[in-house]
Structures are given as C-alpha cells and as structure tokens.
C-alpha cells in the first residue's frame, strides 16, 4: 500500500509541476550530459542531475565508482577528479534506475555565444566551404545547439532539448561556422576532443546575456527585465505584434494587383511595364525617394533565352540579397522565398522547368518599412549546366501595391536577462575551457555603454561558472556599410573601441576582423579566417603557447615630434607592414579636432603620421569608420591592426 501510495503521489506531483522539476523515482541527467558529451579535461568535473530526495546515486566512469546522495531539493551532484583527454568511454549513472552514456569524450569544451554572426551555420556559407564540408568527418569535434528561449523570472536548471552531434558532412552544415573552424584549428594542433556548446541568438544585445546581479549596475536594463516578468504583458505584446503583422500582410495581399492579375505567369503581357537597372534600390529608379521610400509590393520580370541543350536541366538561381522579402518564380513556378533581408537568395531550379528559347524570371519583392530593393555587389545569375547567365541589368517592373510602413515588432527575446536565464544558466554546471563570443552589432546605438556592459558580462559569467578567469575570446566588429570619402564619426568605430578597451580584462583576446567584412552584408561570409584568428588567440591565452603571434598591432602610445605624430604598438609580431601599398586610413587633427586624411609610413616598429594641412597635430585616428576601406596596417604575420584613436583612449 505504501508503494502504491508513493507511486500515485509521484504521478500527481509529476503532472502538477513543470518538466524542469525533479520527477519522482527516476534518476535524471541534464540535456548536456547525453550521449556524445565532451567533458573538460584536466579539471575537476561536475556530474549532476535529479532524483528522489535522499536517493543514493552512483556514477561509474573509467573503472571507478563515485557516490553521492540526492538532497531534499531533489538535486544531486558529485565531483570527478581531473581526467586525461580521450574517448569514447562509457558512463553509467544509477539510482532507482540506470542511465548509460555510451559515448563520453574528455577534451576541451568551448562556449560559442553572441548574436547572428556566431549563430550563422555553415549551411549559410556552404558555397564557400563545400570542400570543408565534404572533408568534415571527425568524431572528436562535437557540437551542442542550445534551443532559442528566454525567461525573465528565474535562471533555469536544464534545457528542454538538445543533443551532441559529431562533425560529418551531414551534420556540420548545422554547426556554427565560426565555431567549427575554430574547433578544427584546435583539434589539428592539439589532437584532443573539442566540444562546442552553441548558445547564440541573432540580433541579441549584450544585456540579454547578463544575470540579474550584473544588471544591477545598469538600472535601466534591470527595470526592463523586471517589467517583462509580467506574463500578461508578454502575451498582450505578442498578440498585438502578430495581429498587426498579419493584418498588414493580409491587406497587402488583397491590394496587390500582381497577385490578382497573375503577374508571375510567363505568358502575362508585361509590354507596358517600366524598366529599372538592377541591382539597385527602388528609389534610385524614381519609385519613392530615399527619405520617403515606397513600401508595399513591387514585381520584377526578366526574360532570358536558353539554347536547346539546356532545356530541362536543373539550375541554380542566385538573386543576391533583397530588402526585405521575396518570392521568386521561374516560368510561373515558385522556386524560392525568403522572408527577411539578410539571407542570400540561393534557389534551386528543378529539372524540367527551364525550356529552350524564352524563359521568364519573376520576383515579387515586399517591403514593410524603409528603403527596399536589390543590394549591389552581390551575385545575380542563373547557372545551368556549367554556363552562367548574368541577370544584372535591365528588368521590367511594376508596382503591385503601396502600404503605410509596418510598425516594427517588439522582439521580446532580446530584452535584458531573458537569454541568460534560459540559454546560459542551464550550462553553468558544465566545466569549460573558455568562451568565444561574436556580438556587438546590436549595441552600436550606445557604444560607450558597451565599454561597461561587455566587461561586466565577462565578469558575470566567470563569477557564475565559478572556475576562475577562464579565457574569453571575442571578435571585433567587421567593416560594414558604405565607405566614406572623408574622415567622419562612426558608432561602429566607437563600439570597436569599446571592444579594444575590454582587452584590459584579464585573460581576454580579440580577433580583429576589419578586413573580413562586406560593405553590403552585416553577415560577412568569410567565417574561416574569423575562426582561425580566434584559434590563434586561444593558442596564446588558453593554451599558453609562447611566441605565437595571436593578434595584429594594438595601439600603445603616441609622441608628437614637431609636425608629426609617432605611434607605438604592441603585438607587432616580427614587424609592421603595409598590405598592398602605402599605408592608408590614417587621419590627423590639430587642436580644432578637425580630422583630415594623413600620410603615414612605417619606421621600424613605429608608424609616423603627418599632414601638410595640420602643422601642429595633437591626435591621430586609424580605420575610424563604419567601413574603413583600404585599412592596411598589419604585422608580418598578416594579422590586421585594430582600429583606434589617440584622442579618447
């Protein structure tokens, strides 16, 4: 009777509490401790889980047994002594039941966090790295993807989903691209298992990843976090956002003459449509203006002629990058759809769709706010049987419908604290080697605050992981947006400066990416070199390799000598160099702080800067722009110098 009563009580308890709470009778492990897990080598290991209060738990691993007992809170934890790298090994965890992990590896565990440039999977850059994907089979590189979630109320104990996957051509397209190339570099050098825990979310600001204790230093962010503990507020905002968006797109579709008139039909008579040269923004062709853009739906159409040998063959259609959303048709059949502006439009045209002779490509582009159109310096082409057809040039177009701008959604998931509680807190029991971080784009509107929030995040994570000053390596923002002809102010440059200042925090390293960006894409494709530069920082900071050049030149100090300024640097490696010609992107100013382009030359381990227009200089800036095109100060290991200014450091 007692046993039956206990089972009934357990069942009722299990039904009445959330899945995050201990379930009666059965020992349970966190999602992170699953088959294929990587445990941190050479460190005291934490194994933890849940069971009945008072229930004994045994852990068998590598020929030894470790014992613990579940506390009254239903949680248990035990420590294993430091382990040598290797695997796979078996781990058995037993109480009233047994759990067997058949693949357990011991190596180095790295947290991969930040926003979209860390989240971005290899699948998004597949065409650059097809050979890397094909050769990716390696059971000792493993990836765990943390589900995207938020929680403003409390730090969570576990994750609702997730599993460890080994690198191979089928799985690696879903790995974080930066993280994978980082891991591959480390594995090739140290030959130990590398575990990547990918906890990142596109668009997330730094404050979303900070704990409540850390946010106490930033009252405005803490107040926002507290505000969003209100479930009814979240529900109301979500419903309002959804209804507003649904209504807007429904009205657009009802107004769109192209949908009503079958403008995607290849036989539709478009002889009266106007012509626009693509790629370009609509307003460049007179459809609205830059200050008052047209929003709604615009249809584009282009006819191409194919030889009989290409009829029926499958093809690849590249439509570059489109702001905002598109549906693309070939001969009246939809071949692709992307609902927001950033992903590249790489569409597959199925066999049998293309014909000999006349073929029609139609693109319906929708814009809900701001400027819209086709972004320049991206590929626009149709590839059939090894032949490429350039699609840039004249396209016919017609306005399908105009709309008032759609008010942006609230993006609740980006609010302070939410991601820390749901996507970081469940990881804190897992011992790690360090963190790689790629984030900052979403904080460029307040770059000076980032000089406080980012170091605060690092301290916060180290405090809650409770394993000392583990290495924290991060990527400085890449170059982005159109280049300017004259020296100017730049929020992106200011945020890079805040990232540069963060090197003052112990055991941090920064990968400079000022030469790896793309002016027309906030998600630059070259993730391999970013991963390599992070790996260089890891070799020096995390693994203690002496003599490795892990950074490009970092500004140290300046000295005024008559009409010139002499700059000194750290991390000059085996010497300074100008990549591709004379030094560029140096600006100089006098007491009036009016910066002009300057001449610069390398003299030994220093850079001398001057301008005939500034006889009494007081300050220098280097690569101080959103996109400092042509910045070319490197060390001879070909690592770029970080942008800097001497007037505010």
């Amino acid at each position: 009777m007692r046993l039956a009563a206990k089972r009934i009580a357990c069942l009722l308890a299990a039904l009445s509490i959330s899945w995050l709470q201990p379930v009666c009778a059965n020992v349970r492990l966190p999602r992170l401790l699953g088959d294929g897990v990587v445990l941190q080598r050479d460190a005291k290991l934490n194994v933890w889980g849940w069971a009945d209060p008072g229930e004994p738990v045994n852990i068998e691993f590598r020929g030894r047994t470790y014992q613990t007992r579940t506390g009254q809170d239903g949680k248990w934890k035990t420590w294993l002594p430091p382990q040598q790298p290797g695997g796979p090994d078996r781990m058995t965890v037993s109480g009233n039941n047994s759990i067997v992990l058949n693949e357990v590896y011991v190596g180095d565990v790295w947290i991969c966090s930040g926003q979209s440039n860390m989240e971005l999977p290899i699948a998004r850059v597949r065409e650059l790295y097809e050979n890397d994907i094909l050769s990716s089979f390696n059971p000792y590189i493993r990836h765990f993807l943390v589900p995207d979630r938020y929680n403003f109320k409390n730090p969570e104990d576990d994750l609702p989903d997730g599993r460890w996957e080994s690198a191979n051509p089928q799985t690696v397209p879903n790995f974080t691209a930066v993280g994978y190339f980082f891991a591959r570099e480390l594995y090739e050098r140290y030959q130990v298992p590398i575990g990547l825990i990918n906890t990142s979310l596109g668009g997330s600001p730094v404050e979303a990843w900070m704990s409540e204790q850390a946010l106490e230093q930033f009252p405005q962010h803490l107040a926002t976090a507290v505000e969003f503990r209100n479930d009814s507020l979240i529900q109301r905002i979500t419903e309002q956002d959804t209804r507003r968006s649904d209504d807007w797109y429904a009205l657009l579709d009802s107004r769109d003459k192209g949908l009503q008139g079958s403008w995607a039909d290849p036989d539709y008579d478009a002889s009266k449509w106007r012509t626009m040269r693509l790629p370009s923004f609509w307003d460049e062709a007179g459809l609205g203006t830059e200050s008052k853009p047209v929003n709604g739906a615009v249809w584009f159409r282009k006819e191409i002629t194919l030889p009989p040998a290409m009829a029926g063959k499958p093809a690849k259609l590249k439509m570059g990058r489109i702001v905002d959303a598109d549906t693309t048709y070939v001969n009246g059949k939809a071949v692709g759809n992307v609902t927001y502006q950033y992903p590249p439009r790489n569409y597959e045209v199925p066999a049998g769709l293309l014909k000999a002779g006349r073929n029609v490509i139609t693109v319906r582009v929708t814009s809900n706010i701001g400027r819209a159109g086709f972004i320049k310096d991206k590929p626009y082409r149709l590839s059939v049987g090894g032949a490429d057809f350039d699609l840039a040039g004249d396209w016919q177009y017609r306005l399908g419908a105009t709309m008032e701008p759609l008010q942006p959604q609230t993006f609740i998931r980006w609010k302070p604290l939410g991601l820390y509680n749901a996507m970081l807190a469940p990881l804190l029991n897992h011992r790690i080697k360090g963190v790689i971080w790629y984030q900052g784009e979403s904080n460029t509107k307040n770059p000076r605050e980032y000089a406080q929030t980012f170091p605060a995040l690092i301290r916060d994570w180290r405090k809650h992981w409770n394993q000392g000053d583990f290495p924290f390596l991060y990527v400085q923002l890449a170059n982005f947006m159109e280049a300017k002809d004259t020296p100017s102010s730049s929020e992106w440059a200011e945020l890079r400066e805040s990232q540069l200042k963060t090197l003052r925090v112990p055991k941090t390293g920064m990968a400079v990416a000022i030469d790896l960006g793309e002016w027309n894409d906030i998600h630059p494709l070259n993730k391999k070199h970013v991963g390599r530069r992070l790996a260089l920082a890891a070799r020096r900071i995390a693994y203690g390799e002496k003599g490795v050049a892990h950074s490009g030149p970092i500004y140290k100090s300046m000295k005024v000598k008559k009409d010139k300024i002499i700059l000194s640097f750290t991390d000059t490696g085996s010497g300074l160099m100008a990549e591709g010609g004379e030094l560029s992107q140096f600006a100089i100013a006098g007491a009036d702080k009016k910066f002009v382009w300057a001449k610069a030359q390398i003299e030994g381990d220093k850079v001398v800067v001057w301008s005939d227009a500034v006889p009494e200089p007081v300050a220098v800036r280097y690569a101080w722009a959103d996109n400092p095109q042509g910045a070319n100060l490197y060390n001879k290991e070909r690592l770029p110098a970080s942008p800097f200014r001497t007037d505010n450091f």
Side-chain angles (χ1 to χ4, degrees), residues 370-382:
R371 298 180 79 193
F374 297 73
I375 301 301
K376 296 176 182 178
D377 295 339
K378 289 290 185 180
Y380 296 87
R381 64 175 180 266
L382 179 71

Side-chain angles (χ1 to χ4, degrees), residues 565 588-595 613-619 647:
I565 290 181
I588 198 167
D592 60 1
K593 295 294 179 73
K594 293 181 180 179
F595 283 88
V614 184
E616 297 181 0
V618 300
D647 53 308

Side-chain angles (χ1 to χ4, degrees), residues 348-465:
E348 299 289 334
V349 180
L353 187 55
L354 295 175
K355 303 179 296 184
R358 175 178 173 272
N359 293 263
V360 179
I361 301 172
T362 309
V363 185
R364 181 196 188 224
V365 181
T366 59
S367 166
N368 57 38
I369 194 169
R371 298 180 79 193
F374 297 73
I375 301 301
K376 296 176 182 178
D377 295 339
K378 289 290 185 180
Y380 296 87
R381 64 175 180 266
L382 179 71
S383 300
V384 192
D388 288 341
F389 292 82
D390 186 6
L391 300 178
D394 289 341
W395 284 66
Q396 294 176 285
Y397 77 95
R398 185 177 176 184
L399 179 63
T402 57
M403 295 283 290
E404 292 298 314
L406 172 64
Q407 181 182 338
Q409 68 179 97
T410 309
F411 292 110
I412 294 170
R413 61 184 179 273
W414 295 344
K415 299 299 181 184
L417 178 64
L419 302 185
Y420 174 89
N421 279 347
M423 295 181 65
L424 194 84
L427 315 178
L428 294 174
N429 278 325
H430 204 70
R431 313 311 282 171
I432 63 173
K433 182 72 173 178
V435 171
I436 58 173
W437 172 267
Y438 195 161
Q439 190 275 336
E441 296 91 339
S442 290
N443 288 96
T444 52
K445 294 303 179 185
N446 195 348
R448 294 186 180 181
E449 183 188 63
Y450 200 79
Q452 284 76 50
T453 53
F454 185 35
L457 174 137
I458 296 172
R459 293 190 294 268
D460 185 39
W461 286 21
R462 287 173 170 173
K463 174 185 175 182
H464 286 95
W465 242 292

Side-chain angles (χ1 to χ4, degrees), residues 48-61:
W48 75 102
W50 300 266
D52 269 352
E55 183 175 339
V57 178
N58 294 331
I59 297 96
E60 299 174 40
F61 184 61

Side-chain angles (χ1 to χ4, degrees), residues 554-624:
I554 300 293
Y555 169 71
K556 179 182 178 183
S557 63
M558 61 163 275
K559 180 172 68 173
V560 179
K561 188 174 182 181
K562 295 184 179 179
D563 60 348
K564 295 180 173 64
I565 290 181
I566 302 171
L567 304 172
S568 298
F569 299 85
T570 64
D571 297 284
T572 55
S574 53
L576 298 175
M577 62 172 284
E579 182 74 42
E582 295 182 358
L583 287 175
S584 67
Q585 283 292 328
F586 281 88
I588 198 167
D592 60 1
K593 295 294 179 73
K594 293 181 180 179
F595 283 88
V596 299
W597 293 126
K599 295 181 180 180
Q601 68 181 27
I602 296 169
E603 294 186 3
D605 61 352
K606 306 193 186 300
V607 173
V608 181
V609 185
W610 75 98
S611 170
D612 293 340
V614 184
E616 297 181 0
V618 300
V620 167
R621 292 179 176 182
Y622 170 69
W624 194 263

Side-chain angles (χ1 to χ4, degrees), residues 124 320-322 324 338-346 521 523:
R124 275 275 296 272
R321 182 181 151 220
I322 298 174
D324 289 306
V338 173
T339 59
Y340 64 112
Q341 64 171 297
Y342 291 117
R345 272 62 172 179
N346 297 326
D521 202 334
H523 304 121

